[in-house]
Amino acid sequence: KDILNRFENKGRMVHGRQGMKLEAAKFGLYLLVPISASLTFNDPNVQRFCADYFQFMKYPANPNTNLKEEFEDLLEKRIKEKEQRKLYAEQVKKLQDSAKESRLKAALAAAEEEKRGWFSWLRIRRRANDEITEGRS
């Protein structure tokens, strides 16, 4: 029965002193948020900071400037960026090739080291035993 009563009371408002406190808190919040926001953002320093940080005021370029020069500058900048990207790609390729070579050298060195280990005499002994057993059969 207790569970059924909970579901039945779900759609109803809170009555009594608790409901009044809740409504008073909500009303106070509804008043507090806009008033505090208007007091905070009404300060000229805060407005200047927000305008600079979020770039609310972006003015267009001066119409008296020579657009041909601007386009030439942008074209030169793009050409330089392309060259830099090409050089960067070449450097990355060289680094990858050298890394590949060093990995191969390391693998060869590891194989050499494996042949000259602490217990290399065991391998020699095993090989001799294998040759002897193969000779018998």
Side-chain angles (χ1 to χ4, degrees):
K1 286 185 175 182
D2 190 30
I3 295 174
L4 293 175
N5 288 336
R6 287 183 187 169
F7 287 116
E8 289 175 5
N9 292 334
K10 187 176 182 184
R12 299 181 186 167
M13 280 184 38
V14 179
H15 295 292
R17 197 174 292 184
Q18 290 177 341
M20 188 64 177
K21 287 181 182 179
L22 178 65
E23 292 298 320
K26 288 196 302 188
F27 181 72
L29 186 65
Y30 292 150
L31 288 179
L32 182 70
V33 169
I35 291 172
S36 61
S38 64
L39 289 175
T40 302
F41 291 105
N42 199 21
D43 185 25
N45 292 331
V46 174
Q47 288 178 354
R48 193 175 310 115
F49 170 76
C50 289
D52 291 341
Y53 184 76
F54 295 108
Q55 297 180 356
F56 285 123
M57 296 175 277
K58 240 184 180 177
Y59 297 107
N62 189 358
N64 296 331
T65 58
N66 190 356
L67 293 178
K68 188 175 182 180
E69 290 177 3
E70 284 186 24
F71 287 133
E72 289 173 356
D73 291 341
L74 286 173
L75 184 62
E76 289 176 12
K77 187 177 179 183
R78 285 185 182 172
I79 291 171
K80 285 180 184 178
E81 287 176 354
K82 273 187 178 180
E83 291 173 0
Q84 289 175 349
R85 279 194 299 261
K86 194 180 288 184
L87 289 172
Y88 178 72
E90 290 173 4
Q91 289 176 350
V92 167
K93 187 171 180 165
K94 286 179 185 177
L95 283 173
Q96 288 174 345
D97 291 341
S98 66
K100 192 174 185 179
E101 288 176 15
S102 66
R103 282 193 298 264
L104 286 174
K105 287 179 183 177
L108 290 174
E112 289 284 328
E113 191 66 32
E114 190 175 301
K115 291 178 184 175
R116 294 179 284 141
W118 283 80
F119 299 105
S120 61
W121 57 273
L122 283 176
R123 285 189 207 108
I124 296 169
R125 197 173 199 185
R126 282 185 197 158
R127 287 183 196 151
N129 287 339
D130 291 341
E131 290 173 3
I132 292 171
T133 55
E134 287 176 6
R136 288 183 184 170
S137 57

Short mmCIF file of all heavy atoms in Angstrom, two decimals, residues 6 11 13 17 22 40 46 55 57-58 68 73 76-77 97 103 108 111 124 127 130 134:
data_model
loop_
_atom_site.label_atom_id
_atom_site.label_comp_id
_atom_site.label_asym_id
_atom_site.label_seq_id
_atom_site.Cartn_x
_atom_site.Cartn_y
_atom_site.Cartn_z
N ARG A 6 2.74 6.32 -2.84
CA ARG A 6 3.80 7.17 -3.38
C ARG A 6 3.53 7.52 -4.83
O ARG A 6 3.72 8.65 -5.26
CB ARG A 6 5.15 6.47 -3.27
CG ARG A 6 5.69 6.41 -1.89
CD ARG A 6 7.05 5.77 -1.88
NE ARG A 6 7.50 5.55 -0.52
CZ ARG A 6 8.55 4.84 -0.18
NH1 ARG A 6 9.26 4.25 -1.10
NH2 ARG A 6 8.90 4.69 1.08
N GLY A 11 1.85 13.27 -8.81
CA GLY A 11 1.43 14.42 -9.61
C GLY A 11 0.96 15.60 -8.77
O GLY A 11 0.72 16.69 -9.29
N MET A 13 1.01 18.69 -5.82
CA MET A 13 1.96 19.66 -5.27
C MET A 13 2.24 19.35 -3.81
O MET A 13 1.47 18.66 -3.15
CB MET A 13 1.40 21.07 -5.38
CG MET A 13 1.54 21.68 -6.73
SD MET A 13 0.97 23.38 -6.82
CE MET A 13 1.45 24.11 -5.31
N ARG A 17 3.78 23.76 5.04
CA ARG A 17 4.93 24.62 5.26
C ARG A 17 6.08 24.30 4.31
O ARG A 17 6.78 25.18 3.83
CB ARG A 17 5.38 24.47 6.71
CG ARG A 17 6.29 25.57 7.16
CD ARG A 17 6.61 25.48 8.61
NE ARG A 17 5.40 25.74 9.39
CZ ARG A 17 5.36 25.80 10.70
NH1 ARG A 17 6.45 25.61 11.38
NH2 ARG A 17 4.24 26.04 11.33
N LEU A 22 9.52 25.88 -0.36
CA LEU A 22 10.02 25.57 -1.69
C LEU A 22 9.66 26.66 -2.69
O LEU A 22 10.50 27.12 -3.47
CB LEU A 22 9.46 24.22 -2.17
CG LEU A 22 9.86 23.78 -3.57
CD1 LEU A 22 11.35 23.53 -3.64
CD2 LEU A 22 9.08 22.54 -3.99
N THR A 40 26.36 42.58 -12.16
CA THR A 40 27.71 42.13 -12.48
C THR A 40 28.16 42.65 -13.84
O THR A 40 29.24 43.20 -13.98
CB THR A 40 27.78 40.59 -12.47
OG1 THR A 40 27.39 40.14 -11.18
CG2 THR A 40 29.19 40.12 -12.77
N VAL A 46 34.07 44.93 -16.83
CA VAL A 46 33.61 43.59 -17.20
C VAL A 46 33.12 43.59 -18.65
O VAL A 46 33.40 42.66 -19.41
CB VAL A 46 32.50 43.11 -16.24
CG1 VAL A 46 31.91 41.79 -16.70
CG2 VAL A 46 33.05 42.99 -14.83
N GLN A 55 35.28 38.67 -28.49
CA GLN A 55 35.37 39.37 -29.78
C GLN A 55 33.99 39.67 -30.34
O GLN A 55 33.65 39.31 -31.46
CB GLN A 55 36.20 38.57 -30.78
CG GLN A 55 37.61 38.38 -30.34
CD GLN A 55 38.43 37.58 -31.33
OE1 GLN A 55 37.90 37.10 -32.31
NE2 GLN A 55 39.70 37.45 -31.06
N MET A 57 32.86 42.67 -30.98
CA MET A 57 32.93 43.77 -31.95
C MET A 57 34.13 43.56 -32.85
O MET A 57 35.26 43.88 -32.49
CB MET A 57 33.04 45.10 -31.21
CG MET A 57 31.81 45.42 -30.39
SD MET A 57 32.00 46.90 -29.42
CE MET A 57 32.86 46.25 -28.01
N LYS A 58 33.90 42.99 -34.02
CA LYS A 58 34.95 42.84 -35.00
C LYS A 58 34.61 43.76 -36.15
O LYS A 58 33.61 43.57 -36.84
CB LYS A 58 35.02 41.39 -35.48
CG LYS A 58 36.32 40.75 -35.21
CD LYS A 58 36.39 39.37 -35.77
CE LYS A 58 37.76 38.81 -35.45
NZ LYS A 58 37.91 37.45 -35.87
N LYS A 68 44.41 44.69 -53.72
CA LYS A 68 45.35 43.93 -54.54
C LYS A 68 46.58 43.56 -53.72
O LYS A 68 47.07 42.42 -53.78
CB LYS A 68 45.74 44.75 -55.77
CG LYS A 68 46.58 43.98 -56.77
CD LYS A 68 46.83 44.79 -58.01
CE LYS A 68 47.63 43.99 -59.01
NZ LYS A 68 47.90 44.75 -60.23
N ASP A 73 49.73 39.58 -50.62
CA ASP A 73 50.32 39.14 -49.35
C ASP A 73 49.78 37.78 -48.93
O ASP A 73 50.52 36.90 -48.47
CB ASP A 73 50.04 40.17 -48.25
CG ASP A 73 50.80 41.47 -48.46
OD1 ASP A 73 51.80 41.45 -49.22
OD2 ASP A 73 50.40 42.49 -47.85
N GLU A 76 51.34 35.08 -51.14
CA GLU A 76 52.72 34.80 -50.71
C GLU A 76 52.73 33.96 -49.43
O GLU A 76 53.52 33.02 -49.30
CB GLU A 76 53.48 36.11 -50.49
CG GLU A 76 53.82 36.85 -51.77
CD GLU A 76 54.48 38.19 -51.49
OE1 GLU A 76 54.88 38.44 -50.33
OE2 GLU A 76 54.61 38.98 -52.44
N LYS A 77 51.85 34.30 -48.53
CA LYS A 77 51.77 33.56 -47.27
C LYS A 77 51.38 32.11 -47.53
O LYS A 77 51.96 31.18 -46.94
CB LYS A 77 50.74 34.23 -46.36
CG LYS A 77 50.69 33.68 -44.96
CD LYS A 77 49.70 34.46 -44.12
CE LYS A 77 49.62 33.92 -42.72
NZ LYS A 77 48.63 34.61 -41.91
N ASP A 97 62.39 6.85 -42.18
CA ASP A 97 63.37 5.95 -42.79
C ASP A 97 64.51 5.63 -41.84
O ASP A 97 64.94 4.48 -41.71
CB ASP A 97 63.93 6.56 -44.09
CG ASP A 97 62.89 6.63 -45.19
OD1 ASP A 97 61.87 5.91 -45.10
OD2 ASP A 97 63.08 7.42 -46.15
N ARG A 103 65.71 0.32 -36.34
CA ARG A 103 65.03 -0.88 -35.85
C ARG A 103 65.63 -2.14 -36.46
O ARG A 103 65.81 -3.14 -35.77
CB ARG A 103 63.52 -0.81 -36.16
CG ARG A 103 62.73 0.08 -35.23
CD ARG A 103 61.25 -0.13 -35.39
NE ARG A 103 60.78 0.18 -36.74
CZ ARG A 103 60.25 1.34 -37.11
NH1 ARG A 103 60.12 2.30 -36.24
NH2 ARG A 103 59.84 1.52 -38.35
N LEU A 108 69.14 -6.90 -35.84
CA LEU A 108 70.34 -7.65 -36.19
C LEU A 108 71.28 -7.77 -35.00
O LEU A 108 71.87 -8.83 -34.75
CB LEU A 108 71.06 -6.99 -37.37
CG LEU A 108 70.36 -7.10 -38.72
CD1 LEU A 108 71.11 -6.28 -39.77
CD2 LEU A 108 70.26 -8.56 -39.15
N ALA A 111 69.97 -10.32 -32.69
CA ALA A 111 70.24 -11.68 -33.18
C ALA A 111 71.70 -12.06 -32.93
O ALA A 111 72.00 -13.20 -32.55
CB ALA A 111 69.91 -11.76 -34.67
N ILE A 124 75.80 -25.00 -28.28
CA ILE A 124 76.83 -25.80 -28.98
C ILE A 124 76.68 -27.26 -28.60
O ILE A 124 76.74 -28.15 -29.44
CB ILE A 124 78.25 -25.27 -28.64
CG1 ILE A 124 78.40 -23.85 -29.18
CG2 ILE A 124 79.31 -26.20 -29.20
CD1 ILE A 124 79.66 -23.17 -28.68
N ARG A 127 73.61 -28.74 -30.30
CA ARG A 127 73.86 -29.00 -31.71
C ARG A 127 74.71 -30.27 -31.89
O ARG A 127 74.46 -31.09 -32.78
CB ARG A 127 74.57 -27.81 -32.35
CG ARG A 127 73.67 -26.63 -32.55
CD ARG A 127 74.39 -25.50 -33.23
NE ARG A 127 73.63 -24.27 -33.08
CZ ARG A 127 74.15 -23.07 -33.06
NH1 ARG A 127 75.47 -22.91 -33.15
NH2 ARG A 127 73.40 -22.01 -32.92
N ASP A 130 72.51 -33.20 -31.29
CA ASP A 130 71.59 -33.39 -32.42
C ASP A 130 72.31 -34.05 -33.58
O ASP A 130 71.77 -34.95 -34.24
CB ASP A 130 70.97 -32.05 -32.86
CG ASP A 130 70.00 -31.50 -31.83
OD1 ASP A 130 69.53 -32.28 -30.98
OD2 ASP A 130 69.71 -30.27 -31.89
N GLU A 134 71.45 -37.67 -35.15
CA GLU A 134 71.12 -37.79 -36.57
C GLU A 134 72.05 -38.80 -37.26
O GLU A 134 71.64 -39.51 -38.16
CB GLU A 134 71.22 -36.44 -37.27
CG GLU A 134 70.10 -35.49 -36.94
CD GLU A 134 70.28 -34.13 -37.57
OE1 GLU A 134 71.24 -33.96 -38.38
OE2 GLU A 134 69.51 -33.23 -37.27
#
